[in-house]
Amino acid sequence: MATDIQKLIGTSEEDDDEEMDMDVKEEDDEDEENGGKNIAAQIMTGVGGGMASNSSDNQFQHQQQFQEQVTTPAGGARRSRPLEEKERTKLRERHRRAITARILAGLRRHGNYNLRVRADINDVIAALAREAGWVVLPDGTTFPSRSQGSRPAGGTSAAVTSSSSHLVSQQTPPASLRGVSPGYQTSVEYNTCRMKGVFMPNPSPYDLSASTQPQIPAVVGEGGEQTESDLHIGGSMDTINDKQIVDLPPIPKLPERDFAGTPFIPVYVMLPLGVINMKCELVDPDDLLKQLKVLKSANVDGIMVDCWWGIVEAHTPQEYNWSGYSRLFQMVRELKLKLQAVMSFHECGGNVGDDVCIPLPHWVAEIGRSNPDIFFTDREGRRNPECLSWGIDKERVLRGRTAVEVYFDYMRSFRAEFDEFFADGIISMVEVGLGPCGELRYPSCPVKHGWRYPGIGEFQCYDQYLLKSLKKTAEARGHPFWARGPDNAGFYNSQPHETGFFCDGGDYDGYYGRFFLNWYTRILVDHGDRVLSLAKLAFEGTQIAVKLSGIHWWYKTASHAAELTAGFYNPCNRDGYAAIATMLKKHKAALNFSCSESRMGDQQVDFAEALADPEGLVWQVLNAAWEVGIPIASENALPCHDRVTYNKILGNAKPLNDPDGRHFLSFTHLRLSPLLMERQTFLEFERFVKRMHGSGCFNACQNPRNNKFDATSMSFTDLVLKVKEGLSSHIKFRMKVVVSHLGKQLSNSGYSRRRKGIQIE
């Protein structure tokens, strides 16, 4: 028996099909044997015939101990269980081989893969890896083709631990590189995480500057004896207090995308929420001026500021106080910056990131106390005074005016007060607030009502005005009993599968569910349409924009429950953003989307539990907007100060290899704060601004605010090359002035007007 077991362990690896045939054959032979003396060998074969260990003696000793435990005087009952298990193993093997055969046949027939007749799963993986541009050596060592110079000689494979049968190739990267590339991260993390006492962080996939580069911590192994896996990690090793400290080698960096020559995207910075106090006075103007000068030094194009309805029209209807904003705008003009103004018809306070409290106007609150149905209401009757319900858009309940008329009067007052700033082009964009947080959505996730991420939220349609609209729509459809909200849609912090409405196959996709959701999202689109039609009149000749939030949690479910409660009818079988994009196209409005920095690498646990997909949502919204040809602006929804997040924003703002050359209209950084003003953080932000502007001679010497060259900062060679590239056809400047200014450089460098085939006309 010992000889048989040693033969089993020492058998060399063969083709997978041959191993499976051997397994089944050995199982059939064991059916004819009695007792338990071959049970251990059978169990080892069922596992796969390859349980590697340090030595065959240890394996044999383990087999004897296991056999003694299985073979007991109890007899038949204990010995009959392996027989049933063997039958199940046979069935599993036959089923697995049938699936493998179909996969291989499909790859040969449709994929033109050159697979041998008795190919196994390793051959399939190797073929797929080679097609993806990776190098796969005969011993299984795999690495990116661009990193052949970094792999070990001969493709040596190292065992992870002395008791593991897994073989992982370990490359030694150059010592001068830092960061993590996908080709190395898996190998390094796997090796280190298998060692006892090892801590290996998940570093950024982007190279950090020398001043911000984090040091990779040392690896501490237990005991004073050097393990085999320690030798293959590389780097220096010291022993302190009988603890081995392995200093990991530097990790190769992932090359970053070069944004030289990419389109110019202006960058704005959002001012603090409380920059204007409740008396409409500018708070700490001297300190703000210093900060704005610092932003100016980084070539920031301008600032964005909330113009709060609750401050300007605070006490009496149609009495507006713009004094604090006048002083702020004058300061911005003197610094030659641009302005983006936000018409903020919502309250501030109670949401994530709110550090001040700015309620709706007092006279609106008084009306709300006598008529609370002017606010959004949930199923339990709780009112949300964050903004006015869309049900009163055409109801004269605000001292004789409708809500839309109140918004229009406010916007007209702003335009009249700052007409000179519009005429001079200082105000480049006006963002119109259409809901909570200034976003076009229902307030379905109010923190003040107990909502916490990743709850699905609740429908907000239970005020009398929206219910009246629902009833009218249901009667017109011929189903008056549909004039109600869903009664099985859960609560604020429910999950989709816990409800009868949002679960897979739930009522959301039934006749009533489709009717209700169509009405619910139509109210949202109609509200945006009404307000933007008036905003277009008030701000004629100026770009207007609408902010859309990124509700990315539960995006991977069929119902997209969180989006449905927010008013975006976007289940897996319907594009819920196309109708919004079409409405914006009608008014030539830009879409400001606030989810461009989110990525699956962030909060992996939270995103996994919430089945979130921020990247999928971003590209769905971007494609919906670009499909109808509306410009896209963006801003970060969460604090953003690191290079990885900045690079994510850059990738979305300037899609790589886009055949149509599409890109963002502008980007707004949230927000101006002491953290942004810190030296290292600001250097990273300044680098981001340069890349948004596009690096290279053109962007370094162009003044984006007047589309003219600053010839004094250009060499003659660069100027000639840019003219050769055709920039003169896009940017107007007088060539005589340029040549006159650079005449000395021309004579000293020996350039002629026709040198190297370059001619200036």
Side-chain angles (χ1 to χ4, degrees), residues 671-732:
R671 65 184 66 243
L672 182 61
S673 65
L675 178 59
L676 180 62
M677 292 291 104
E678 291 182 4
R679 182 179 182 277
Q680 191 55 55
T681 305
F682 189 79
L683 289 176
E684 200 65 47
F685 172 70
E686 186 178 23
R687 180 181 183 274
F688 166 73
V689 173
K690 291 179 180 178
R691 303 183 80 188
M692 288 292 280
H693 288 172
S695 59
C697 170
F698 168 74
N699 292 282
C701 302
Q702 182 191 7
N703 183 343
R705 282 176 280 278
N706 56 20
N707 261 1
K708 294 181 180 180
F709 272 107
D710 181 9
T712 60
S713 62
M714 294 185 66
S715 67
F716 181 78
T717 305
D718 291 332
L719 178 61
V720 171
L721 291 177
K722 290 303 176 184
V723 175
K724 182 69 176 180
E725 293 170 0
L727 293 179
S728 60
S729 62
H730 300 285
I731 302 174
K732 297 179 181 180

